[in-house]
Amino acid sequence: MNSKVYKWCAVPQCKNTSIKTPKKVFVHVPNKKIIRDKWLKLARRNPNDVVSNSPLYFCEDHFDLPNDMENYMKHHLMGSVSQVRMKPGCMPHKFIYQPDRKTQTSDTTERPYIAKK
């Protein structure tokens, strides 16, 4: 990814851009239709309103980078990486800029009343 490209977070109500917040990591929304549509729906965007091949980004505020990013340690130690690589199956799950919803779309903590097998 070219770090010189202007990037803006595609999550509604999130104001992060590569100009306003240049230190933030911007994650490229996958181009594969099924995954792209899931990401957009999680962010409360209509996938039909977005051109299918347009480059879209979500900022780091919508992820848990230490757990979601494959090359996080390199980014953390070096200050940047040439390409952000997210772990397979990673989905955005933090939507703090949308106050009418929970900050996470799914609860990843284990329910205490479910016994382990």
Side-chain angles (χ1 to χ4, degrees):
M1 292 271 143
N2 184 352
S3 61
K4 303 293 183 202
V5 173
Y6 175 74
K7 299 171 186 170
W8 56 275
C9 185
V11 174
Q13 300 176 16
C14 184
K15 306 288 186 217
N16 291 324
T17 71
S18 57
I19 293 175
K20 288 183 188 176
T21 54
K23 300 280 187 198
K24 289 214 184 269
V25 173
F26 287 85
V27 179
H28 186 267
V29 177
N31 287 328
K32 189 173 182 182
K33 183 170 177 33
I34 295 170
I35 299 170
R36 185 179 181 96
D37 288 355
K38 282 183 184 178
W39 281 38
L40 292 171
K41 286 176 185 175
L42 284 171
R44 293 188 172 173
R45 295 217 34 191
N46 184 348
N48 297 325
D49 293 343
V50 180
V51 178
S52 62
N53 62 351
S54 64
L56 290 177
Y57 301 92
F58 283 8
C59 73
E60 68 181 60
D61 291 352
H62 309 292
F63 299 92
D64 177 16
L65 287 187
N67 294 314
D68 294 342
M69 189 173 156
E70 277 187 356
N71 55 346
Y72 175 76
M73 192 53 69
K74 182 177 180 182
H75 166 74
H76 184 70
L77 294 173
M78 304 296 285
S80 68
V81 289
S82 60
Q83 181 178 17
V84 173
R85 288 191 320 268
M86 303 306 281
K87 292 181 179 175
C90 175
M91 295 281 174
H93 52 92
K94 295 181 179 182
F95 298 96
I96 57 175
Y97 301 108
Q98 297 173 340
D100 61 325
R101 67 190 283 177
K102 293 181 182 179
T103 57
Q104 300 214 0
T105 58
S106 63
D107 188 5
T108 56
T109 60
E110 185 176 11
R111 294 179 186 149
Y113 57 85
I114 297 176
K116 288 186 178 180
K117 291 185 178 183

